[in-house]
Amino acid sequence: MQKNSKLLTILFLLSAISCTNQKSDLYDYANFVNPMVGTNWHGHTFPGATIPFGMVQLSPDTRTETWDGCSGYHYSDNSILGFSHTHFSGTGGGGGGDIMFMPIVGKIQLNEGDTANTLSGYRSVFLHEDEHAEPGYYSVKLLDNNLLVELTTTARTGMHKYTFPEKSGANIILDLTHGISDKVDSLYLEIINETEIVGFRKTYGSLAGEHKLFFVARFSKPFKKYGILADGDTTNNVKKLGAKDLQAYFSFDTDDKQPIMLKVALSRVSIEGARKNMEAEIPAWDFENIREDARRGWNKELSRIEIKTANISQKRTFYTALYHSFIHPDIAMDIDGQYLSGDHKVYKADGFDNYTTFSLWDTFRALHPLYTIIQQKRTTQFIRSFLERYDHWGNLPMMEFSGNERFAMIGYHSLPVIADAYAKGLRDYDVNKALAAMKKLADGNRDGKKDYLKLGFIPYDKYSQSVSRTLEYSYDDWCVTRLAADMSDSDFHLYNQRGQFYRNLFDVQTGFMRPRGSDGLWLDSFDPMMASNHGTEGNAYQYSLFVPQDIEGLIEIMGGSDKFKKWLDVCFTTETDTTKMYLADVTGRIGQYAQGNEPSHHMAYLYNYVGQTWKTQEKIRQILETLYTDKPDGLSGNEDAGQMSAWYVLSSMGFYSVTSGMDYYVIGSPLFDEAVIHLENGNQFAIKAENNGKGKPYIQSAKLNGKKYSKSYLKHEDIMKGGELVFTMGTEPNKEWATDLKYRPYSDKYKSAAVPRILF
């Protein structure tokens, strides 16, 4: 009897484990994602279908120009041009829109038409209530043609499903000229047979740079006729054609009431590469299976963090943010490992996966630190991709899109990505090569670099963005020391010294980082609220605190903790004068703080460094609850390839990476009752917030693995070990928690890093 009892107990436990695993496998995190978030206002996201880190982003295009058309889609529009296969998520510059198809009924029109009269071209009116967007799938009803469009994707291939009205004149338009903010160099189309077409699109001038994309497209049924419009001339029997302006139509018989499906595979290498991608990823015509696979892929990635909350809106906001954090970087090689490198030569990946779309001025701050926790294997692949550029292009990337370095912003922020990974123990790459590559980029010829090395700052009378360049160069140079500390004493001291150059722009009289001329004198007409070409997308309030490598040193030169506290208070309470702050990027403002743009993203956490943890908690909760929602206008600025969302993911769990390159995170205010991080090493780390809820942003006490925890920062290794961090929250601030100097976040100090004396 006892044996049977034990057996039943074992069977019950096994059943419970099985049910738990089954529930975990079936839990539909994707149900809490709204891809429409960020498509309105200035979020610049796209609503279409993609898979995590996939090459294809198959999405509707409603416009191709204007700043708010960077992703090809804006929620305020009411007509669709077509469905193209490449898009950037939330960038401030337009690009993509490659290989656009559009189904139409009746009269064949190869011009796009205009928004005032959509019947003048292939464009069609649509309503948002007829749209449906979910991870890996998008659908919409085109009202001008009364037809349903459905889209899904694999990594390198997009799949379309068009349901036409019964007995209609069904046509599918291909507009190779169409693109987002680019200019055409050359286009090519070849008709292989009645179900397959191939070609390429070579363009320049957009965020993607000089860009050649090959494609193979297959229809699920033969077309009965086709026609091509090339540079204004119509041809009906030509099978191969190159042009600078090229559209084509393909007409089908739909009497069998069956939808027409279309598969489109991409490659940056060749038509044959695209064909291999299609045959490997979508060999059949099972649209629903591909859609389900895409959703499963998203659920696998989204399950890396499990949150518990009764607030469904905030749950949607969180998982949408996590979704947006996993769109870029994107895979940049064919199924056979071939890829096009920065030198425009083809190579085959050996021991790594090649990625691109590194919007590093944005993403070094939160997105890549988030990856060091939940995407460690991919972090290694990203750094190996960086080193591939060093091998073949000659340098690490700075702002790379679609495989091309675009030099779009200041700084050289692949360095903090490598430094952060290295500091956190992620070193499965050639670390010696990484150090050599970091030094080469840090010593390279960037705007103002010679004066920076000679004077210790960049003079405003010779270069634009002199303040922001100096501060970002100084931080990036410091990042070299993260590796040099283990490999080279001389490099360690040299780059530490340059990491102190920020001091040369601090003006004691005004209390701000201030432009300085090549004669050593300060800029006379200085207004810290004024946006100017001395900073990058910000004013002196938003840039003066960008010294992540030495926040303690910054506090010291600003007059100590008390003055620093007051400086922060003034920053968060001084209302913006819109006649002085006119930049479209500087949005989501709380006083002078601007959540809508990256330079501010660390600032609310700096109260922890001066022992006023409750103010960090208050400000972080305010940002989380007022500047993010689950609606189309739910972002307070450009998504910027995942940075805006990664800030939310980290901050809502209760911490943030103020300094990429240090192995800790600064604690803020956890938004959810519980967040469980499922780590790649098999461990899990839980952050719990007891007595949490609206109006309770303040930490009363904390315990790490059952022991009292009094620090206002959290070590990376404590997360990786697995465990539990429990906060008790309240309505009133606990001004004693984590305020002592020994419990505050810290900066490394190096006596060898004295700033050279500047003589004028």
Side-chain angles (χ1 to χ4, degrees), residues 103-105 146-148 162-166 168-172 254 259-260:
I104 63 171
V105 172
N146 191 31
L147 63 86
L148 178 67
Y162 304 146
T163 303
F164 288 89
E166 187 177 349
S168 63
N171 305 291
I172 297 176
T254 56
I260 297 174

Side-chain angles (χ1 to χ4, degrees), residues 212-253:
K212 188 174 185 179
L213 195 64
F214 299 90
F215 74 94
V216 172
R218 287 180 186 165
F219 303 100
S220 60
K221 63 187 304 182
F223 50 81
K224 59 184 181 181
K225 68 173 182 176
Y226 73 92
I228 302 173
L229 181 66
D231 295 330
D233 295 328
T234 303
T235 62
N236 293 316
N237 298 312
V238 175
K239 298 242 176 180
K240 298 181 182 180
L241 201 60
K244 285 200 169 185
D245 183 14
L246 198 156
Q247 296 81 30
Y249 72 87
F250 305 89
S251 298
F252 298 83
D253 185 351

Side-chain angles (χ1 to χ4, degrees), residues 317-363:
T317 302
F318 178 86
Y319 281 110
T320 301
L322 195 57
Y323 166 84
H324 280 142
S325 299
F326 292 161
I327 291 177
H328 301 304
D330 41 273
I331 195 72
M333 66 182 192
D334 291 341
I335 199 74
D336 61 5
Q338 291 196 87
Y339 65 91
L340 190 73
S341 189
D343 60 357
H344 299 288
K345 295 180 181 179
V346 175
Y347 299 92
K348 187 166 184 176
D350 182 14
F352 79 106
D353 294 332
N354 188 52
Y355 285 86
T356 188
T357 309
F358 297 112
S359 188
L360 295 169
W361 185 82
D362 310 292
T363 58

Side-chain angles (χ1 to χ4, degrees), residues 464-709:
S464 67
Q465 305 171 82
S466 62
V467 173
S468 50
R469 287 185 198 275
T470 298
L471 296 177
E472 294 195 23
Y473 289 5
S474 182
Y475 165 62
D476 288 338
D477 286 347
W478 170 86
C479 287
V480 180
T481 71
R482 305 293 82 195
L483 279 69
D486 293 335
M487 303 181 207
S488 170
D489 283 345
S490 59
D491 289 335
F492 175 76
H493 295 307
L494 172 65
Y495 292 99
N496 263 319
Q497 185 182 66
R498 282 155 59 169
Q500 294 290 302
F501 281 2
Y502 73 89
R503 294 173 179 265
N504 295 323
L505 286 188
F506 183 74
D507 175 24
V508 176
Q509 285 190 331
T510 62
F512 289 90
M513 298 292 176
R514 184 173 178 179
R516 197 172 190 178
S518 51
D519 57 3
L521 300 179
W522 300 114
L523 174 71
D524 283 333
S525 54
F526 174 70
D527 183 344
M529 280 202 290
M530 180 67 73
S532 70
N533 68 347
H534 305 304
T536 304
E537 299 178 4
N539 61 21
Y541 274 102
Q542 288 135 19
Y543 250 102
S544 289
L545 300 187
F546 186 78
V547 188
Q549 73 274 24
D550 189 18
I551 294 168
E552 287 188 277
L554 176 66
I555 293 168
E556 176 191 347
I557 65 172
M558 292 183 81
S561 292
D562 289 342
K563 286 191 176 181
F564 194 79
K565 294 171 190 175
K566 291 177 182 177
W567 198 103
L568 286 171
D569 289 343
V570 170
C571 177
F572 279 99
T573 56
T574 300
E575 289 300 316
T576 298
D577 182 342
T578 55
T579 65
K580 297 179 179 181
M581 178 46 68
Y582 49 82
L583 299 174
D585 293 274
V586 184
T587 50
R589 293 190 290 264
I590 302 173
Q592 294 297 306
Y593 177 89
Q595 178 64 22
N597 204 30
E598 281 71 20
S600 290
H601 277 186
H602 68 298
M603 289 167 58
Y605 285 92
L606 298 184
Y607 280 111
N608 280 22
Y609 290 78
V610 288
Q612 289 191 325
T613 54
W614 66 93
K615 289 185 179 179
T616 283
Q617 295 155 24
E618 181 180 273
K619 297 293 186 296
I620 295 302
R621 186 66 70 91
Q622 179 184 0
I623 296 166
L624 289 169
E625 291 184 339
T626 64
L627 296 176
Y628 289 85
T629 75
D630 59 350
K631 302 297 189 292
D633 62 354
L635 295 175
S636 60
N638 299 163
E639 166 61 19
D640 282 327
Q643 167 60 25
M644 195 69 66
S645 287
W647 188 97
Y648 184 91
V649 171
L650 287 171
S651 294
S652 66
M653 289 194 294
F655 54 86
Y656 184 75
S657 178
V658 169
T659 305
S660 294
M662 296 290 281
D663 62 349
Y664 68 79
Y665 308 90
V666 180
I667 291 173
S669 178
L671 185 62
F672 305 115
D673 297 336
E674 184 175 3
V676 180
I677 305 171
H678 299 285
L679 301 164
E680 289 180 354
N681 63 12
N683 295 333
Q684 65 179 37
F685 187 80
I687 304 103
K688 296 181 179 179
E690 297 176 347
N691 191 41
N692 200 17
K694 192 171 182 63
K696 299 177 180 179
Y698 301 110
I699 296 172
Q700 306 300 302
S701 63
K703 288 184 178 180
L704 178 62
N705 299 326
K707 297 180 180 179
K708 181 180 178 181
Y709 194 76

Side-chain angles (χ1 to χ4, degrees), residues 80-123:
I80 287 174
L81 290 161
F83 306 91
S84 63
H85 292 76
T86 58
H87 297 85
F88 295 123
S89 180
T91 52
D98 294 295
I99 324 300
M100 188 187 77
F101 287 89
M102 179 65 167
I104 63 171
V105 172
K107 181 182 177 182
I108 295 170
Q109 299 189 86
L110 297 179
N111 61 299
E112 66 180 39
D114 59 66
T115 56
N117 178 19
T118 56
L119 296 177
S120 62
Y122 55 67
R123 180 195 298 266

